[in-house]
Amino acid sequence: MTDAGPVETWVFDLDNTLYPPECNLFDQIDQRMGEFIKNLLNVDYAEARRLQKQYFVDYGTTLRGLMDRHNVAPDDFLHHVHDIDVSPVPPNPRLGALLARLPGRKLVYTNGTEPHAERVLARLGVTDQFDGVFDIAAGDFVPKPQPAPYAQFMDRFSVDPRRAVMVEDMARNLKPAAALGMTTVWLRTCYQWGSVHVDEDAVHHQVDDLMTWLEDLAG
């Protein structure tokens, strides 16, 4: 799948990638972000939501906007917004079996937190299939698609980008990975932000269903 030979490292986004967006976990996170901004800035909920989306578009994550514009402590925000119910994510033993058939390491790279990732992976039943998680804190709270944390991620896990594949539901997050030499896979979903700022040169493969794609890889 890569030009340099067999894949050594498979990199997966977490939310809306390893589980479908129909689970609506981000709806819970979205609501809690709005509540946090409402209370922080003493504005009504509509204004809080407007700022939340503006910061997401302008800074890559709402958190980064709050940090830069309002000196918000990231841990306070992240603890609040990820205090959600993950039970809508169904256990997926089929996913675990397909991941087990992929040769090489599997890693999660998320703009969320490691504890959130651990809860979701445990709910899916695939914790034992992953060799590590790189979260927003590991990237010094600089989110995808900013280039700097991608380099930090690769250094931390000694990733050879020429023999690595990155799977993402948000196409814009693939551009830095492609620039570093990774093979990229865009998982197209119903998530509204997934197709924003698509760079066709940075998207090497497009798939509509994660499980079908993994089955095809497994032969």
Side-chain angles (χ1 to χ4, degrees):
M1 188 171 188
T2 69
D3 293 337
V7 178
E8 293 179 343
T9 307
W10 303 86
V11 184
F12 291 87
D13 178 48
L14 179 76
D15 293 306
N16 298 332
T17 297
L18 288 177
Y19 64 85
E22 289 81 6
C23 294
N24 293 322
L25 286 198
F26 199 77
D27 285 356
Q28 296 184 57
I29 295 172
D30 206 42
Q31 180 177 353
R32 293 187 68 79
M33 284 194 288
E35 293 170 353
F36 185 94
I37 295 170
K38 176 179 179 291
N39 295 331
L40 174 74
L41 302 180
N42 194 27
V43 297
D44 63 29
Y45 191 70
E47 175 62 7
R49 293 278 289 170
R50 186 191 71 79
L51 289 171
Q52 174 189 342
K53 299 306 178 186
Q54 178 184 328
Y55 292 163
F56 175 78
V57 171
D58 292 347
Y59 293 90
T61 61
T62 300
L63 170 60
R64 189 72 248 177
L66 290 172
M67 290 174 66
D68 289 357
R69 297 286 294 273
H70 304 286
N71 296 315
V72 167
D75 289 340
D76 293 343
F77 175 84
L78 292 168
H79 177 76
H80 179 84
V81 304
H82 287 111
D83 185 17
I84 63 169
D85 175 18
V86 299
S87 64
V89 176
N92 193 342
R94 180 170 160 236
L95 174 62
L98 290 170
L99 290 172
R101 296 177 68 179
L102 289 180
R105 297 179 299 169
K106 276 80 72 175
L107 303 170
V108 168
Y109 182 2
T110 175
N111 273 345
T113 66
E114 186 169 359
H116 171 66
E118 289 172 346
R119 292 176 67 208
V120 171
L121 295 177
R123 180 68 187 167
L124 286 165
V126 298
T127 301
D128 61 343
Q129 294 303 320
F130 286 91
D131 299 282
V133 174
F134 189 88
D135 71 347
I136 191 69
D140 297 325
F141 303 103
V142 177
K144 297 181 283 186
Q146 296 299 315
Y150 289 74
Q152 291 175 286
F153 164 75
M154 291 191 182
D155 286 344
R156 177 172 174 178
F157 291 105
S158 299
V159 175
D160 178 355
R162 300 167 302 169
R163 299 183 67 177
V165 173
M166 186 170 189
V167 184
E168 260 277 356
D169 71 302
M170 294 184 64
R172 71 180 189 179
N173 290 343
L174 293 172
K175 186 173 181 178
L180 289 167
M182 297 177 74
T183 298
T184 63
V185 179
W186 178 27
L187 176 62
R188 297 178 298 194
T189 71
C190 62
Y191 182 50
Q192 61 176 326
W193 297 103
S195 57
V196 173
H197 302 309
V198 178
D199 183 337
E200 293 184 0
D201 291 337
V203 176
H204 303 138
H205 304 276
Q206 299 183 31
V207 299
D208 295 315
D209 182 79
L210 178 67
M211 303 297 287
T212 300
W213 178 68
L214 290 173
E215 286 178 339
D216 289 344
L217 287 176

